[in-house]
Amino acid sequence: MEWIIGGNHMLISLENIYKIYKRGDTAVHALDGVTLQIENGEFVAIVGPSGSGKSTMMNILGCLDTPSDGTYIFEDKDISKLNDDQLAVIRNRHIGFVFQSFNLLPKLDAVENVELPLTYAGKKGPARRDRAVEMLNAVGLGNRIHHKPSELSGGQQQRVAIARALSTDPPIILADEPTGNLDTKSGREIMEILKELHLSGKTIILITHDISVANQAERNVHIQDGKIVNDVKVVG
């Protein structure tokens, strides 16, 4: 399942996506007929308040979950029909995840955390370590490679998480509230890194409740009550 990704073409297409959760006898429509297209190389923010459905959207876009109904096409492949193992291949090869809570393993130092996706991808020792160090240098943490998460600030931990996301060179970075646990200065620095990654050719999908963060993307997709209510290009 080797897919070549490049050029300005449709990368992601969601068509009439529903995600329904059962709570007792009640059906909760977390996503309610969502249709969305994202082109290769775009920087898109999916923005909405808590409970709007944006986290469910992230899980579906990131192949962490599948829709109850509707079609998800990724590079001309119908994601909604793939099994768990096939979804794992897509996640590992094509999507780099950056989470609000960093999701670093506390007992591993920075370079070991960055090596994890490379280990899963079957990359061997010396080449794996070289790549992890290269990515930590790229996010400005070359002098912190042997520090554990508890020895790093929140902003530094998020840089490690970005280095980990980049380690396998995925075409898509999916960032879920990446500045949510950071102070203003650190949050600004993380957004600058994401902008640089976009300029280098990565497709960036940013999930946020913060409109000031969302406005740093090229395009804002506003979601409320499981529906897209606005989809606009950001000016300026």
Side-chain angles (χ1 to χ4, degrees):
M1 199 185 295
E2 288 292 342
W3 303 339
I4 305 303
I5 296 177
N8 290 321
H9 61 268
M10 199 61 65
L11 180 64
I12 283 169
S13 179
L14 302 179
E15 296 290 343
N16 211 26
I17 294 287
Y18 289 83
K19 186 63 184 184
I20 302 167
Y21 296 103
K22 286 291 181 89
R23 287 187 187 158
D25 295 330
T26 306
V28 178
H29 287 70
L31 292 179
D32 192 4
V34 166
T35 294
L36 174 70
Q37 284 77 42
I38 297 175
E39 288 188 2
N40 183 57
E42 277 199 280
F43 188 171
V44 180
I46 295 169
V47 59
S50 178
S52 60
K54 64 183 186 299
S55 293
T56 303
M57 175 98 85
M58 184 211 73
N59 287 338
I60 289 189
L61 287 169
C63 300
L64 296 165
D65 200 358
T66 51
S68 304
D69 196 13
T71 305
Y72 176 11
I73 304 295
F74 180 100
E75 277 285 295
D76 301 324
K77 305 289 181 181
D78 190 345
I79 299 301
S80 8
K81 292 183 166 51
L82 300 186
N83 62 34
D84 288 346
D85 288 342
Q86 291 168 319
L87 290 172
V89 168
I90 293 166
R91 287 196 302 270
N92 293 341
R93 294 185 184 176
H94 300 288
I95 304 170
F97 294 91
V98 180
F99 296 102
Q100 177 177 355
S101 56
F102 319 133
N103 286 12
L104 302 177
L105 295 182
K107 292 185 178 179
L108 301 185
D109 63 22
V111 74
E112 290 167 333
N113 268 288
V114 175
E115 282 183 314
L116 279 175
L118 297 165
T119 302
Y120 299 143
K123 207 168 183 74
K124 301 304 180 187
R128 187 176 67 216
R129 177 57 56 100
D130 289 348
R131 176 66 177 172
V133 171
E134 179 189 354
M135 290 300 96
L136 285 166
N137 277 312
V139 297
L141 282 183
N143 61 341
R144 294 281 194 276
I145 66 171
H146 294 303
H147 286 60
K148 290 186 176 175
S150 61
E151 300 169 317
L152 299 170
S153 69
Q156 288 170 335
Q157 289 183 64
Q158 193 61 292
R159 285 170 185 255
V160 174
I162 291 172
R164 180 184 59 192
L166 291 171
S167 63
T168 56
D169 197 22
I172 301 170
I173 299 297
L174 187 54
D176 181 23
E177 300 278 10
T179 63
N181 282 343
L182 304 179
D183 60 60
T184 302
K185 178 175 180 291
S186 297
R188 194 162 51 240
E189 290 169 351
I190 294 304
M191 287 306 299
E192 287 304 316
I193 291 174
L194 292 177
K195 290 178 195 174
E196 288 171 15
L197 290 171
H198 170 240
L199 290 174
S200 77
K202 300 287 185 191
T203 302
I204 310 292
I205 303 173
L206 172 69
I207 314 295
T208 184
H209 69 280
D210 187 335
I211 193 66
S212 67
V213 170
N215 282 340
Q216 296 179 65
E218 292 180 321
R219 174 182 167 202
N220 281 358
V221 176
H222 294 260
I223 187 167
Q224 191 168 334
D225 298 327
K227 297 176 182 288
I228 291 176
V229 294
N230 206 4
D231 184 347
V232 295
K233 293 285 187 181
V234 177
V235 178

